């Protein structure tokens, strides 16, 4: 029948349902729960149902029988009569077997009915009889199903399955404890964030005033430094111009070059043109070398004097920058001292808040451990003794505690 079809599951879970894992390896079933935690959507416990169904389906046939289904419903809060009627009504074909979808639908229907009755007992039943099942109550019910099933397998001597169920129970319990702790931590974080936001606004006002002060200082300092740089640039350009104007107009050649030229002229007058040409080539080479040497010496002199001028200007600019930095450091020191006093006041307030929240966390830890312990995880069973009472302080969860 349609209810006996098992939906697509993860490879590891499929192995359990198809029977490719031995009874000894069923002790690894808890790994399924642990490895999927990060993939589980906040609003769905679909994979939890799959793991529990895989444990109930000991024969890996893809379905569980009517007695196991009725036992699951009793664990979820139904009376024996209600569980029997629900099983009969769901087994329209009379096959006495329930697939994953039928199993899940029956458990969720039981959860909805119990949630409605609990709300009615609190005096606020929803119109129409429909209301969402709180996440925490789903977990409490699934833990109850697992705990009862473990006891039944233990009584039947099926210790490998009992061990697997115990491991899944522990993994689910750890995850739910972490989720509840996270909920408290998130609320406390929101409380701290509110205080920190108020502190931030106060600090922003303080820093805004000092920022304007520093901006004025930096603007004035920047103007003075820029004016100094511009003055240096003008002075350096004038200095370079003066150097070029004072350069010698004529170049003084060596006696050797002048002698070559006289010999050249004499040989030419004597019509010894070949010798005159040879002498001229030597003189031209010597003249070119001496011109280059004179030009290099002249440029070296320019560079030396320009370097001296630049160093003088650099020292002047460095002295100005040091004075500016001293003023900047003084401004920052006053700013920092004021900020430190303000921050210390904020730290004291946050420290007091964290101390208060740590005390609350300790109380919550003890409460969560008590609520999720096997002795307490039993949902309300109508028409029978009520072992616990609804915790209505947190509207986002529904939990039970012993009287």
């Amino acid at each position: 029948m349609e209810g006996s079809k098992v939906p697509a599951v993860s490879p590891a879970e499929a192995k359990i349902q198809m029977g490719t894992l031995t009874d000894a390896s069923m002790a690894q079933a808890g790994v399924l729960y642990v490895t999927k935690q990060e993939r589980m959507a906040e609003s769905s416990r679909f994979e939890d149902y799959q793991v529990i169904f895989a444990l109930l389906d000991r024969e890996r046939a893809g379905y569980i029988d009517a007695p196991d289904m009725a036992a699951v419903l009793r664990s979820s809060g139904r009376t024996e009569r209600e569980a029997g009627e629900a099983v009969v009504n769901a087994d329209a074909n009379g096959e006495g077997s329930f697939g994953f979808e039928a199993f899940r639908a029956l458990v969720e229907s039981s959860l909805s009915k119990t949630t409605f009755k609990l709300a009615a007992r609190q005096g606020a039943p929803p119109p129409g009889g429909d209301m969402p099942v709180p996440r925490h109550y789903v977990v409490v019910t699934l833990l109850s199903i697992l705990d009862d099933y473990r006891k039944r397998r233990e009584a039947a001597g099926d210790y490998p399955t009992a061990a697997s169920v115990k491991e899944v129970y522990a993994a689910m319990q750890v995850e739910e404890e972490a989720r509840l702790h996270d909920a408290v931590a998130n609320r406390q974080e929101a409380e701290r964030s509110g205080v920190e936001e108020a502190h931030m606004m106060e600090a922003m006002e303080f820093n805004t005033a000092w920022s304007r002060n520093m901006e004025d200082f930096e603007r004035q300092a920047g103007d003075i430094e820029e004016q100094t740089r511009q003055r240096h640039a003008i002075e350096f350009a004038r200095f370079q111009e003066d150097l070029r104007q004072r350069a010698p107009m004529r170049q003084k050649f060596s006696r050797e070059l002048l002698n070559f030229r006289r010999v050249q002229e004499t040989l030419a007058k004597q019509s010894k043109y070949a010798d005159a040409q040879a002498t001229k080539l030597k003189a031209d080479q010597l003249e070119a070398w001496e011109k280059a040497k004179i030009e290099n010496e002249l440029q070296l002199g320019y560079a030396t004097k320009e370097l001296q001028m630049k160093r003088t200007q650099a020292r002047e600019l460095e002295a100005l920058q040091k004075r500016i930095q001293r003023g900047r450091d003084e401004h920052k020191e006053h700013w920092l001292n004021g900020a430190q006093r303000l921050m210390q006041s904020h730290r004291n307030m946050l420290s007091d808040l964290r101390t208060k929240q740590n005390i609350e966390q300790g109380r919550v830890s003890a409460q969560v451990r008590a609520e999720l312990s096997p002795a307490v995880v039993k949902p309300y069973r109508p028409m029978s003794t009520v072992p616990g009472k609804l915790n209505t302080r947190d509207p986002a969860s529904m939990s039970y505690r012993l009287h």
Side-chain angles (χ1 to χ4, degrees), residues 224-346:
I224 294 173
E225 187 172 340
E226 181 60 26
Q227 292 171 4
T228 302
R229 292 182 185 278
Q230 292 177 357
R231 177 172 57 82
H232 284 174
I234 294 173
E235 291 176 352
F236 186 75
R238 290 175 181 174
F239 178 77
Q240 286 182 313
E241 184 179 355
D242 291 343
L243 281 179
R244 269 66 177 176
Q245 289 177 353
R246 291 198 300 265
M249 300 301 296
R250 295 179 59 186
Q251 294 180 336
K252 184 177 181 181
F253 296 108
S254 66
R255 183 176 298 176
E256 181 181 5
L257 176 58
L258 296 176
N259 186 50
F260 272 128
R261 293 304 183 190
R262 285 195 294 270
V263 170
Q264 171 189 335
E265 293 175 359
T266 300
L267 292 173
K269 290 178 181 179
Q270 295 176 357
S271 301
K272 296 180 180 179
Y273 297 119
D275 293 338
Q277 179 63 26
T279 303
K280 180 179 180 299
L281 291 175
K282 292 180 180 180
D284 289 345
Q285 292 176 354
L286 182 58
E287 182 177 349
W289 181 83
E290 289 188 0
K291 283 182 177 180
K293 179 182 177 183
I294 292 171
E295 182 64 24
N296 289 338
E297 290 176 350
L298 184 62
Q299 294 300 324
L300 179 60
Y302 291 159
T304 301
K305 292 178 180 179
E306 288 173 356
L307 180 60
Q308 292 174 350
M309 179 66 173
K310 282 184 175 294
R311 286 176 176 174
T312 300
Q313 291 180 338
R315 286 193 294 269
E316 181 182 351
L317 183 62
E318 182 181 358
L320 174 62
Q321 291 172 339
K322 286 182 178 180
R323 292 195 298 273
I324 292 174
Q325 186 60 43
R326 283 196 296 270
R328 181 181 294 114
D329 292 341
E330 290 175 0
H331 277 70
K332 288 183 177 180
E333 183 177 1
H334 292 307
W335 187 355
L336 179 61
N337 290 339
Q340 286 177 340
R341 289 192 294 270
L342 185 62
M343 289 173 62
Q344 185 60 50
S345 173
H346 293 171

Side-chain angles (χ1 to χ4, degrees), residues 329-369:
D329 292 341
E330 290 175 0
H331 277 70
K332 288 183 177 180
E333 183 177 1
H334 292 307
W335 187 355
L336 179 61
N337 290 339
Q340 286 177 340
R341 289 192 294 270
L342 185 62
M343 289 173 62
Q344 185 60 50
S345 173
H346 293 171
R347 281 194 295 266
N348 292 341
M349 293 180 65
L350 283 175
S351 177
D352 293 341
L353 178 60
R354 287 194 179 94
T355 300
K356 174 184 173 183
Q357 291 181 342
N358 288 338
I359 295 174
E360 181 186 15
Q361 276 282 11
R363 293 172 179 169
V364 168
S365 297
Q367 177 182 339
V368 168
R369 284 193 297 269

Side-chain angles (χ1 to χ4, degrees), residues 46-60:
F46 182 78
E47 294 187 14
D48 291 335
Y49 284 105
Q50 286 184 318
V51 174
I52 294 174
F53 184 83
L55 292 169
L56 291 166
D57 182 16
R58 299 188 301 279
E59 302 299 328
R60 325 298 187 267

